[in-house]
Amino acid sequence: MNKMIKRSVEILEYAAENNQEGFRISDVMHDLNIPKSSAFDIIYTLIDCEMLEVKNEKLKTFTLGPKTYDIGYRYIKDNNIINIATPILKKLGDSLSKTVFMGKYDDDEVLYVFKYQPPTAILNHCSVNTRADLFCTALGKAMLAYREDEFDFSKIQFKKFTENTILNVGDLKKNLAEVRKNGYAVDDREIKDYMICVSAPIFDANGVANYAISTSSLYEDVDIEDTAKKIVEVANTITRKSKYLIK
C-alpha cells in the first residue's frame, strides 16, 4: 500500500474522530506517528482538495472539509444495508455451505429481511418478510442482548417448541449475558430438535443492534465456535460498512 495514501486516510479518519474540536499538526505527529513534513504536506493537500479545512486560523486547527460530506452523502444515497450485506453474506453462505439470514428488530419481533441458500445447503426453514420470536431465535437474542435495559420482558409470551426452549425471563437473561460475553448468540435446538443457528449483531453508529445475521445447521453438522468466529467477522464487516445507513 502506498504510504502517502495510507497516511492520508489515517488523517481523514483522525479528523472525523476529532471533528468538533479540530486537531493540530502536532496532534497528528504525536497520535499517528507521522513526521512533521509529511503531516504538513498531506494536510494542506487535503485542504486544497476540500477534504479538510481550517477550523481556527489563530489556533491552527483543522477539521473535515465539505468534500467529505459530498462523498458520504452520495455513498448513503446510493446504498442501503441489504445492498452492502448481500455479496458479503452470499460469500459466507457459499464458504459454509449453509443458508444465511439477516433479521431486523421490528416491533419487538425478528423480521427476516434477507436470505441466501447456496445449492449445497440442506436447511430451508424461513422466508424473507416472515417474523419470529426474539426469545428463542439466535437472531432475536443477538439483538435483544444489547437492548436489555430498554426492553419490557413482561411482554414475552413464552412458547415451548422443544425441550431446549427457554421458557422464563430469568433463564433468558442468563442466556443474553452469555451473548454479550461471547459476542454471538446460539439457538441450540430451541425451535427444532435437529437445528442449531448461530448469530451475531450488526450495530449502527450509536451502538444499537438493529440487525443481526445468522446461519442454520443440522445439529450433527456444526462446529459452533468455528462458525461463530466467521459469523462475528462478517457481522463486524457489515457494521463497519453500513453503520451510518442503519435506521
Side-chain angles (χ1 to χ4, degrees):
M1 181 183 294
N2 183 283
K3 182 179 289 188
M4 192 65 72
I5 294 174
K6 183 174 184 292
R7 285 175 171 173
S8 298
V9 172
E10 289 174 348
I11 289 173
L12 287 172
E13 291 177 338
Y14 187 81
E17 292 172 359
N18 298 275
N19 199 47
Q20 278 196 320
E21 63 272 23
F23 68 95
R24 299 179 177 85
I25 290 178
S26 58
D27 297 326
V28 168
M29 293 166 56
H30 179 268
D31 295 341
L32 300 182
N33 196 28
I34 297 176
K36 182 177 181 179
S37 58
S38 296
F40 184 92
D41 289 344
I42 292 171
I43 287 170
Y44 279 93
T45 298
L46 291 172
I47 289 173
D48 288 341
C49 297
E50 298 185 334
M51 298 294 286
L52 293 177
E53 62 184 10
V54 178
K55 182 178 180 66
N56 188 305
E57 198 64 70
K58 184 177 180 180
L59 297 176
K60 295 294 183 185
T61 56
F62 308 93
T63 189
L64 289 175
K67 189 68 71 176
T68 57
Y69 174 83
D70 291 342
I71 293 171
Y73 175 77
R74 289 172 192 167
Y75 179 77
I76 291 172
K77 181 181 177 183
D78 295 337
N79 288 279
N80 61 51
I81 188 171
I82 302 298
N83 290 341
I84 289 171
T86 294
I88 301 171
L89 292 177
K90 283 185 174 180
K91 183 177 179 181
L92 175 66
D94 289 336
S95 68
L96 295 174
S97 295
K98 302 183 189 305
T99 305
V100 293
F101 302 92
M102 177 184 287
K104 179 181 180 180
Y105 187 95
D106 187 72
D107 196 23
D108 294 335
E109 291 182 310
V110 177
L111 173 64
Y112 287 85
V113 296
F114 175 87
K115 172 184 175 181
Y116 172 65
Q117 183 179 5
T120 51
I122 298 174
L123 293 180
N124 179 20
H125 65 285
C126 290
S127 301
V128 171
N129 291 327
T130 59
R131 293 176 176 270
D133 294 303
L134 294 170
F135 73 92
C136 56
T137 57
L139 285 169
K141 291 190 289 184
M143 295 183 285
L144 186 57
Y146 299 92
R147 292 172 169 269
E148 187 169 333
D149 291 342
E150 65 188 55
F151 185 77
D152 182 2
F153 285 85
S154 67
K155 295 189 297 185
I156 297 178
Q157 297 181 352
F158 290 98
K159 299 181 288 285
K160 185 175 181 179
F161 297 103
T162 72
E163 292 300 318
N164 295 314
T165 306
I166 293 172
L167 295 175
N168 61 75
V169 173
D171 288 343
L172 177 57
K173 287 189 173 183
K174 289 179 183 178
N175 191 281
L176 297 180
E178 286 295 309
V179 174
R180 290 190 294 273
K181 176 183 176 182
N182 297 327
Y184 62 88
V186 179
D187 156 16
D188 186 358
R189 297 164 292 162
E190 293 171 46
I191 300 176
K192 303 288 185 181
D193 285 315
Y194 55 81
M195 185 177 70
I196 288 182
C197 296
V198 181
S199 176
I202 297 168
F203 298 98
D204 67 11
N206 297 312
V208 178
N210 289 312
Y211 291 82
I213 61 171
S214 72
T215 183
S216 57
S217 308
L218 293 174
Y219 172 61
E220 302 88 354
D221 186 34
V222 60
D223 180 329
I224 292 178
E225 290 189 5
D226 182 66
T227 301
K229 180 180 178 181
K230 294 172 181 175
I231 290 283
V232 170
E233 288 176 355
V234 169
N236 289 343
T237 297
I238 297 173
T239 289
R240 179 174 56 82
K241 290 178 175 287
S242 67
K243 64 182 179 180
Y244 295 106
L245 311 178
I246 301 174
K247 294 182 180 179

